[in-house]
Amino acid sequence: MRELDETFQKHNRDPKARQGCYDSLQEVLPMSDVLYMTRVQKERFATPQEYARVKDSYILTASLLDAYSPAHQKILHPLPRVNEIHTDVDRNIRSAYFEQAQNGLFVRMALLLVVFGKSAEVLFPYPSPKEAFLSLFSVLTWPLWSPSEGKRAATGAGEGAELPLPTARPRTQTV
């Protein structure tokens, strides 16, 4: 812990902040509201032997969550995972990493709108990420797709069928 205190002092951080170094997931799970998991990064180790010694030390499983985690805890991960989160955690109520990835898609789409100068055409906030996605998608692909054309598959066109391009709509139309 001394190294951590020195690091806080060096960067003008409060050494009494609720941060720390832990040797196991069992130590940190009971006191965490959010657990942000990442893989053990091979490229950070000096030797392959050192990586091999550490790589399987922090694997999160559903049984660990059930035994040590509070019910309200959320598990986040940048994805893709290697082996640091067992697939049985995917069905656990605490896992939020798939929603995290989906929301990341919406944020990147919004950033693209800003970069391409289309952000003024989209009104925020939306009641749900799905509605934001549909609006962003329709603005980005404006002459190629419209919500009314999205129902074409239900009107008899089979999968893989050639579908006509929708008619262009005026730019002033509310999305």
Side-chain angles (χ1 to χ4, degrees):
M1 253 343 215
R2 180 181 303 268
E3 288 178 28
L4 192 60
D5 290 344
E6 290 169 6
T7 301
F8 282 150
Q9 290 171 358
K10 178 181 173 183
H11 297 288
N12 296 320
R13 305 281 187 220
D14 180 4
K16 293 181 179 32
R18 289 185 52 183
Q19 297 181 19
C21 296
Y22 302 93
D23 294 322
S24 71
L25 287 171
Q26 291 88 334
E27 287 180 80
V28 75
L29 284 174
M31 65 177 100
S32 302
D33 295 319
V34 176
L35 179 67
Y36 192 93
M37 295 284 299
T38 60
R39 66 182 171 85
V40 175
Q41 298 175 346
K42 187 176 187 176
E43 59 273 15
R44 306 271 186 218
F45 290 88
T47 66
Q49 295 79 14
E50 188 180 354
Y51 169 73
R53 183 178 54 81
V54 175
K55 71 178 179 127
D56 294 328
S57 299
Y58 300 99
I59 298 176
L60 186 65
T61 63
S63 59
L64 268 176
L65 284 175
D66 293 339
Y68 295 98
S69 292
H72 68 274
Q73 186 179 58
K74 296 297 177 200
I75 310 300
L76 299 174
H77 190 285
L79 298 177
R81 61 181 161 204
V82 178
N83 70 336
E84 61 279 0
I85 299 179
H86 194 276
T87 56
D88 64 1
V89 176
D90 295 350
R91 294 178 301 280
N92 193 293
I93 189 101
R94 296 172 187 94
S95 70
Y97 38 87
F98 293 126
E99 182 179 358
Q100 173 191 0
Q102 181 183 32
N103 289 337
L105 170 72
F106 302 140
V107 168
R108 289 187 295 279
M109 290 176 69
L111 289 172
L112 284 172
L113 281 176
V114 171
V115 168
F116 293 126
K118 300 222 176 225
S119 59
E121 297 177 33
V122 181
L123 301 175
F124 285 98
Y126 286 97
S128 74
K130 180 180 177 182
E131 290 179 32
F133 168 77
L134 290 174
S135 180
L136 294 174
F137 182 77
S138 67
V139 169
L140 285 173
T141 60
W142 165 62
L144 302 177
W145 185 89
S146 72
S148 62
E149 292 294 325
K151 298 177 184 170
R152 289 179 293 185
T155 61
E159 189 173 310
E162 287 282 323
L163 298 174
L165 289 175
T167 57
R169 58 181 186 214
R171 297 293 276 179
T172 57
Q173 181 175 346
T174 303
V175 179

